[in-house]
Amino acid sequence: MAYLGWLFTGLLVGGVGVFFAMAKFGFTRLHGAGTEKSVASLLRSHFRPLPIDDISISERHFPFRVRADLQRAIDHLFGDETQVLHFCGIRREYSHEGVTLSACIVESGQNPAVSIPPEFEELDIGEELPFRVLKNGLWLLERAGLRFAVLLAPTGMFGRTTGMQFQVGTPNSPEGTQITQHFFKQLEDSILKAESYRGKILSLEEAEHSYSGEAGGITVHKLRTVEREQVILPESTLKLLERNVIQFVQQRERLSQFKQSTKKGLLFYGPPGTGKTHTIHYLARALEGHTTLLISAEQVGLLSDYMTLARLLQPSIVIMEDVDLIARDRKDMNSPCEEVLLNKLLNEMDGLKEDADILFILTTNRPESLEAALASRPGRVDQAIEFPLPDEEGRGKLVRLYSQGVSLSSEAIAEIVRRTDGVSAAFIKELMRRTVQFHIERNGNGEVSHEDIDCALDEMLFRGGSLNLKLLGATERDLTE
């Protein structure tokens, strides 16, 4: 019995010890560990002797994808007239609840906001080095003798970050209101410059991070360089292209003076492999100062985000390849969802103001399947441009273009041109690569032979069967004559 008594006493003493330890831990969380790091205490001290009830909080929300330009704005916001008294990052234990100034001002025993070193992440904005952006931050500031606070924090829904917010806390007075208005005006002017992505080639991504570890949202593309002489098209097509794209852009200012629309929609159509994408690469480089937005068919759900960027970064080019995947005739649609996507595209193109410097370029291999409300409606599509299979002259130019690394006799070029009637530009590009491959396999010295050409044509036209012909962009008729 004595043994049991001692055991009971031990349990009782141990339980009391645990109770006091937990009580002390709770007290430390609420008042300790740092009262000196509590954001609430920082804010109260900053505004003292002004009562917390006399603080007014205003906020602005911005898309998550403009973080780079937000950071540029931050770097220029606090000039000589504004003194930074304190700056820090903020953390809350339950971060999915978000961070707001009002929540920071009121001390919380369960989920307090605490001061931490600022945290950054890196964005790829198409420059040599990634760009650092702040994840969140709190600035305690003073301007003309009046103290105020600025909070930058992410916002979102269902645990997913969708935007960034700025909140400004000032005394609830005319002077405080003036500071808030001045701050947001500076912020807006800086963001509208959009220096980070203007003039670049962009697409939007759903993934938050890339394999490099850099944060996602906007991908900056580096397209291959395509010069004017590398665009091999019939003369009539080239004239139509230059008049409706290059010359149109050059004349925009004059068109605007005469009260004419500066937006335009173009439809590039023709068989696969005839140079539609190749020409777009040329235009993206040729239209200096334009921001190019590349929209794939599966990204049409992000069309509103794309158009927001197109308006912000204009003059811009919005490119949607294989538009027939979402804009086919309504009679051929199988669900209301498909029609919703079509209407979204039509509404966005219609919703542009006449003075919007935006050029739409849509491409398709099946123009006959397009919805008439898109393809036959000036104001949406103003000019259709056909990209035909290359003629004899075009095939000769293509052979020379894609054989620059080797030597081809005029007789060899003539033979290839004669035997490739009805093929696409992509076919000739692949033909020249395989010709060079056969040439390498027989240890050639750079002078391509008729044997190399025969082997390449034989493999592409006969060994792969009719399916191979379709895949490579050739007709099924006999090409050996």
Side-chain angles (χ1 to χ4, degrees):
M1 292 296 294
Y3 172 78
L4 292 176
W6 281 110
L7 179 61
F8 176 77
T9 302
L11 290 173
L12 181 62
V13 171
V16 171
V18 170
F19 172 79
F20 279 106
M22 292 183 66
K24 182 178 179 181
F25 173 75
F27 182 82
T28 301
R29 282 191 60 189
L30 180 59
H31 298 97
T35 302
E36 72 280 3
K37 291 187 177 181
S38 164
V39 174
S41 63
L42 287 173
L43 287 167
R44 290 174 183 272
S45 175
H46 177 64
F47 283 106
R48 190 175 292 127
L50 183 71
I52 294 300
D53 292 346
D54 286 343
I55 295 175
S56 175
I57 298 174
S58 304
E59 67 181 23
R60 291 278 185 93
H61 290 258
F62 298 91
F64 186 63
R65 292 187 173 95
V66 301
R67 285 172 297 162
D69 289 311
L70 281 173
Q71 185 64 47
R72 291 186 188 275
I74 292 169
D75 294 340
H76 296 94
L77 276 177
F78 309 126
D80 297 335
E81 298 180 1
T82 302
Q83 182 181 2
V84 179
L85 303 179
H86 183 75
F87 168 67
C88 64
I90 296 179
R91 182 185 65 82
R92 297 182 72 189
E93 185 173 346
Y94 308 114
S95 58
H96 63 276
E97 296 180 4
V99 180
T100 63
L101 270 179
S102 58
C104 289
I105 288 174
V106 179
E107 188 71 83
S108 170
Q110 299 300 319
N111 189 20
V114 296
S115 169
I116 62 170
E119 296 179 315
F120 294 84
E121 60 182 344
E122 294 189 333
L123 295 179
D124 176 14
I125 61 170
E127 306 293 344
E128 184 176 353
L129 296 175
F131 189 73
R132 288 208 322 165
V133 297
L134 188 65
K135 298 179 72 171
N136 68 38
L138 175 69
W139 291 263
L140 304 182
L141 308 160
E142 184 173 345
R143 178 185 175 91
L146 189 145
R147 292 195 169 190
F148 65 106
V150 172
L151 171 72
L152 169 70
T155 61
M157 296 178 61
F158 311 112
R160 181 177 181 183
T161 301
T162 58
M164 302 294 290
Q165 69 173 353
F166 270 101
Q167 291 191 323
V168 181
T170 64
N172 190 12
S173 65
E175 294 79 13
T177 301
Q178 185 177 3
I179 281 185
T180 299
Q181 292 173 343
H182 176 77
F183 176 83
F184 283 139
K185 181 65 169 61
Q186 279 188 305
L187 184 64
E188 184 177 336
D189 289 345
S190 183
I191 291 174
L192 288 177
K193 293 178 183 177
E195 299 173 349
S196 300
Y197 297 109
R198 189 176 298 278
K200 298 176 182 178
I201 301 164
L202 314 172
S203 67
L204 302 183
E205 305 297 339
E206 292 281 17
E208 293 186 1
H209 292 83
S210 65
Y211 286 113
S212 67
E214 296 166 350
I218 297 180
T219 296
V220 182
H221 298 272
K222 293 177 174 62
L223 301 183
R224 67 179 185 274
T225 300
V226 177
E227 304 295 344
R228 168 64 180 77
E229 59 271 14
Q230 295 176 316
V231 181
I232 312 299
L233 292 170
E235 190 62 30
S236 59
T237 303
L238 278 172
K239 287 181 178 180
L240 196 60
L241 185 69
E242 300 232 332
R243 177 175 176 77
N244 283 275
V245 181
I246 305 294
Q247 293 177 23
F248 174 80
V249 168
Q250 293 172 346
Q251 296 166 351
R252 259 185 176 149
E253 186 175 351
R254 294 284 289 160
L255 286 168
S256 180
Q257 292 174 0
F258 288 104
K259 310 300 181 184
Q260 299 300 308
S261 174
T262 56
K263 66 174 183 174
K264 195 178 187 72
L266 300 168
L267 177 66
F268 290 179
Y269 72 96
T274 49
K276 297 183 289 296
T277 301
H278 182 78
T279 301
I280 286 172
H281 286 203
Y282 159 67
L283 293 174
R285 298 285 186 183
L287 297 179
E288 188 176 351
H290 281 62
T291 305
T292 302
L293 299 169
L294 306 175
I295 310 177
S296 57
E298 66 270 15
Q299 290 183 316
V300 71
L302 300 174
L303 189 59
S304 296
D305 292 339
Y306 272 107
M307 294 311 302
T308 297
L309 276 178
R311 294 183 184 96
L312 174 65
L313 302 173
Q314 59 181 297
S316 55
I317 311 168
V318 178
I319 296 171
M320 182 173 291
E321 297 200 77
D322 299 318
V323 71
D324 52 279
L325 295 178
I326 63 163
R328 60 180 177 272
D329 194 297
R330 295 175 196 267
K331 298 191 296 292
D332 298 328
M333 291 185 174
N334 300 315
S335 73
C337 293
E338 293 179 310
E339 192 163 353
V340 167
L341 292 178
L342 171 62
N343 288 335
K344 192 176 186 67
L345 173 62
L346 299 179
N347 291 338
E348 286 291 355
M349 295 182 74
D350 259 349
L352 293 174
K353 295 180 179 179
E354 292 298 310
D355 61 350
D357 291 343
I358 297 177
L359 188 69
F360 263 98
I361 299 180
L362 314 177
T363 75
T364 181
N365 301 328
R366 301 181 297 170
E368 70 284 351
S369 67
L370 288 179
E371 165 63 28
L374 173 67
S376 305
R377 166 80 179 273
R380 289 173 179 156
V381 172
D382 304 295
Q383 180 68 56
I385 300 179
E386 181 181 11
F387 284 67
L389 294 170
D391 57 15
E392 183 176 323
E393 180 183 359
R395 295 197 301 279
K397 291 180 179 179
L398 288 164
V399 171
R400 293 182 182 90
L401 174 64
Y402 293 122
S403 63
Q404 292 181 359
V406 295
S407 176
L408 270 177
S409 66
S410 56
E411 293 81 7
I413 294 175
E415 179 185 356
I416 294 174
V417 169
R418 179 180 62 82
R419 296 177 64 180
T420 53
D421 183 26
V423 305
S424 67
F427 182 97
I428 292 181
K429 181 179 181 180
E430 177 60 19
L431 172 64
M432 298 319 301
R433 182 171 71 166
R434 295 201 196 189
T435 298
V436 173
Q437 185 178 351
F438 278 110
H439 181 72
I440 292 172
E441 289 172 0
R442 68 176 187 84
N443 297 319
N445 59 5
E447 182 74 34
V448 172
S449 69
H450 288 275
E451 180 185 355
D452 300 325
I453 298 169
D454 287 338
C455 290
L457 283 170
D458 179 63
E459 184 173 83
M460 293 178 70
L461 298 177
F462 302 110
R463 297 183 189 178
S466 60
L467 176 60
N468 195 59
L469 290 177
K470 292 180 181 179
L471 292 175
L472 295 173
T475 58
E476 291 189 43
R477 66 171 181 257
D478 186 4
L479 299 175
T480 62
E481 300 175 0

